[in-house]
Amino acid sequence: MKTNKSKRRGGASRQSPGAAQGAELRDLPVAKNEEYLADIVGLGHDGEGVGRVNGFTLFVQGALPGEKVRVKVLKLKKQYGYAKLLGIVEASPDRVDAPCPIYSQCGGCQLQHLSYDAQLRWKRQLVVDNLERIGKLQVAGEGEGESTGIVVHPTLGMSEPWRYRNKAQVPIGYNPAGPGSEEGGLVAGFYAQGSHRIIDMDACLIQHEQNDDVVRVVKQAADSLGIRAYNEETGRGLLRHVVARYGFHTGEIMVVLVTNGESIPHRDELVGLIREAVPGVTSICQNINTRTTNVIFGDRTVVLWGRDVIYDTIGDIRFAISARSFYQVNPVQTEVLYRKALDFAALTGEETVIDAYCGIGTISLFLAQQARKVYGVEIVAEAIDDARANAQLNGMRNVQFETGPAEVVIPAWRQQGIAPDVIVVDPPRKGCDAALLETILAMQPERVVYVSCNPSTLARDLRVLEDGGYRTVEVQPVDMFPHTVHVESVALLVRNGTEG
Ligand code: SAH
């Protein structure tokens, strides 16, 4: 996953002086701690129901559009407030029982109570709303052609939208009243919402079963050997995280033990127990992180057993993935997304293509199969090392990678006379740098393919490209993260005067 933090921004953090604010809040049509009947009119970008009471907006976690619900006001601001869901008076036809027993405590998924079909419809609508409101772009009506505006296709979802993740990163803690031991035991799971207390978890329904198994095995093995969990508060203890990675196409398994220090007591026994209980394991690594930080990985990784990488394939291309490599977490949908990007690029084998924000070169190599030459740029040096290694692994010579900010490297390429026919961008949530958009406009490729994990910055950037002489033809949302609020999409733009 590229990022998974989304924070509500804007005026909410601005506080007016206490007395004045108190007076203003008293004038609101709702009061704190009071109960109301709310009409839910929408779903916010964190999956919360957007409710109305006497014309006032209340965000209600767990409520769905079209529902009438009983709520209790928890917190008020001038323009909106937060309320707790007490009961459902009229339920949405799209409401389903969340299958996961820890759904309400975990927070990792936000949409399990909404049917999968409705999730896909909501994700498409979110893209449409952003294009219209932020991008001020004309979107074609459903079923209408591109002559009336941008065609936003129905979201491509998964036929089996569970157990799709290939990577688990699970914090380890110590529970004084832990399972199976009077003195307590290790727990592996998730942070209770709003705290750093770790709650034990046996299964995560969006995680591949193999990863659940690995986490359970490491927890039990470490517990049986008396290996201590790291404690964030004291900075003592050893085992911080277990990271498990599974190659869906190769069946290869990597286990990474993230530790607060070099030496692991009973290290060889621990490795032996893991190998015994996880027969398919290919790589067991240790990553050392002694810093006081929320960042999972430290700088140094050592191999305890096996290889330092696992292999996996996307389409016909093989990738070596090391402990810290960025690799898309939903392999089934990654292929759907990349095929769409390739399809939009409409390559014939003659083209020069730039892949901006290329990571470990996954999209670059995908494109290189059908292009004359692909240039990839990425800011993280290790990712570029991986990208070069992956090009070599696949015997692909028509790719060239460079480390640096896309907004600096691509203008330099322009100076060198590189003239792309197609530019693909896949930026992080904040979208493309303004200088990069300017360079794209100056380079005038025939097509721009924009892969986006954030519809609002996508809409903002499409506006700039449209103003600079491009037309957005179509947008394809792809569901990379079922049951979460993340929305991925890929957009095709063509230069005005060329055929869409
Ligand atoms: N296309 C890749 C990775 C996309 S994630 C894939 O599908 O796997 C976005 C990437 O942009 C990350 O790898 C991040 O390190 C990189 N990045 C962030 N800011 C950048 C910048 N200014 N210039 C180039 N790359 C950047």
Side-chain angles (χ1 to χ4, degrees):
M1 180 171 346
K2 287 164 192 174
T3 74
N4 55 10
K5 291 270 177 299
S6 65
K7 291 205 175 100
R8 192 176 295 285
R9 294 222 173 80
S13 60
R14 227 181 302 136
Q15 296 273 327
S16 44
Q21 193 188 20
E24 281 162 8
L25 293 184
R26 271 202 299 279
D27 295 337
L28 297 178
V30 294
K32 192 171 160 178
N33 292 326
E34 291 297 316
E35 294 184 19
Y36 300 93
L37 210 53
D39 287 310
I40 306 298
V41 296
L43 202 58
H45 50 55
D46 291 328
E48 73 282 28
V50 181
R52 291 265 192 279
V53 173
N54 302 329
F56 189 76
T57 299
L58 289 174
F59 295 109
V60 188
Q61 196 72 47
L64 292 174
E67 294 189 327
K68 223 183 236 321
V69 294
R70 276 194 309 112
V71 301
K72 180 177 178 177
V73 176
L74 298 174
K75 194 172 169 185
L76 284 174
K77 305 261 181 189
K78 262 188 281 174
Q79 312 284 348
Y80 58 89
Y82 297 90
K84 185 180 155 112
L85 179 63
L86 299 177
I88 298 165
V89 179
E90 275 169 36
S92 160
D94 295 324
R95 176 173 285 280
V96 292
D97 286 334
C100 174
I102 52 173
Y103 176 52
S104 61
Q105 300 169 61
C106 166
C109 295
Q110 304 81 32
L111 298 177
Q112 283 195 17
H113 60 299
L114 182 62
S115 75
Y116 189 53
D117 259 4
Q119 290 181 27
L120 297 177
R121 275 184 270 123
W122 176 71
K123 290 186 181 190
R124 174 187 180 273
Q125 194 56 44
L126 201 75
V127 173
V128 170
D129 290 349
N130 277 284
L131 294 178
E132 290 178 343
R133 287 183 201 151
I134 297 174
K136 306 274 180 272
L137 294 156
Q138 174 92 30
V139 175
E142 262 180 280
E144 285 180 343
E146 61 181 78
S147 57
T148 57
I150 302 167
V151 175
V152 180
H153 299 284
T155 308
L156 292 172
M158 301 188 77
S159 51
E160 181 47 62
W162 299 102
R163 298 286 188 188
Y164 59 81
R165 284 183 63 99
N166 60 10
K167 182 171 91 165
Q169 311 188 108
V170 179
I172 302 289
Y174 179 75
N175 182 355
S181 155
E182 278 181 6
E183 305 95 62
L186 294 183
V187 290
F190 59 93
Y191 296 112
Q193 253 177 23
S195 91
H196 264 207
R197 192 164 53 89
I198 297 164
I199 297 184
D200 207 29
M201 172 177 70
D202 291 327
C204 170
L205 300 185
I206 61 169
Q207 194 61 250
H208 194 280
E209 280 99 339
Q210 185 62 65
N211 290 338
D212 278 349
D213 284 354
V214 165
V215 173
R216 188 178 30 81
V217 163
V218 172
K219 178 176 64 178
Q220 287 169 354
D223 216 5
S224 72
L225 294 168
I227 295 169
R228 305 267 300 273
Y230 173 70
N231 179 323
E232 270 186 342
E233 274 162 27
T234 62
R236 312 248 295 263
L238 185 68
L239 195 53
R240 298 177 69 129
H241 275 85
V242 178
V243 178
R245 253 181 169 161
Y246 177 67
F248 271 52
H249 294 106
T250 56
E252 296 194 355
I253 298 161
M254 174 181 272
V255 183
V256 188
L257 310 172
V258 183
T259 57
N260 173 42
E262 301 273 333
S263 100
I264 302 179
H266 310 290
R267 192 190 74 173
D268 295 345
E269 285 106 309
L270 180 61
V271 167
L273 286 173
I274 296 171
R275 285 184 57 199
E276 210 171 281
V278 187
V281 70
T282 325
S283 164
I284 304 176
C285 295
Q286 176 187 8
N287 174 273
I288 297 131
N289 185 1
T290 55
R291 279 172 296 189
T292 313
T293 168
N294 287 336
V295 177
I296 294 176
F297 283 113
D299 293 333
R300 218 157 66 76
T301 306
V302 292
V303 176
L304 300 178
W305 181 85
R307 282 203 237 106
D308 63 343
V309 294
I310 57 166
Y311 293 100
D312 197 22
T313 59
I314 307 176
D316 296 330
I317 303 172
R318 207 167 150 77
F319 292 95
I321 306 151
S322 55
R324 292 177 58 198
S325 293
F326 175 84
Y327 188 66
Q328 295 279 356
V329 296
N330 182 335
V332 172
Q333 292 298 87
T334 297
E335 197 164 330
V336 172
L337 180 75
Y338 288 1
R339 286 208 187 284
K340 204 31 126 176
L342 189 62
D343 177 27
F344 282 173
L347 302 174
T348 63
E350 295 304 313
E351 293 81 3
T352 300
V353 183
I354 287 178
D355 179 19
Y357 308 90
C358 71
I360 63 166
T362 38
I363 296 180
S364 317
L365 297 187
F366 227 67
L367 295 163
Q369 296 170 296
Q370 295 183 21
R372 188 182 63 79
K373 175 92 195 213
V374 177
Y375 295 87
V377 53
E378 157 65 46
I379 205 162
V380 175
E382 292 92 333
I384 288 294
D385 293 342
D386 286 346
R388 290 183 178 134
N390 286 326
Q392 217 166 18
L393 182 69
N394 291 281
M396 299 176 93
R397 289 182 226 288
N398 59 338
V399 280
Q400 185 178 317
F401 292 106
E402 196 164 322
T403 304
E407 60 275 17
V408 173
V409 171
I410 298 177
W413 284 345
R414 180 167 177 248
Q415 294 299 317
Q416 292 161 27
I418 294 169
D421 303 291
V422 180
I423 297 183
V424 178
V425 297
D426 183 8
R429 286 187 65 80
K430 68 175 192 231
C432 290
D433 190 280
L436 174 65
L437 294 173
E438 234 171 79
T439 307
I440 293 175
L441 294 177
M443 281 176 138
Q444 301 197 336
E446 255 183 49
R447 285 167 177 252
V448 177
V449 178
Y450 194 132
V451 182
S452 160
C453 58
N454 182 349
S456 66
T457 53
L458 171 70
R460 179 200 69 197
D461 291 350
L462 293 186
R463 178 77 265 159
V464 175
L465 295 171
E466 291 249 347
D467 290 344
Y470 283 80
R471 179 169 66 90
T472 311
V473 181
E474 51 189 315
V475 179
Q476 177 63 67
V478 177
D479 193 22
M480 300 287 278
F481 309 103
H483 313 294
T484 78
V485 291
H486 297 290
V487 182
E488 189 93 12
S489 42
V490 49
L492 165 66
L493 295 98
V494 296
R495 204 175 67 223
N496 287 338
T498 46
E499 280 292 300

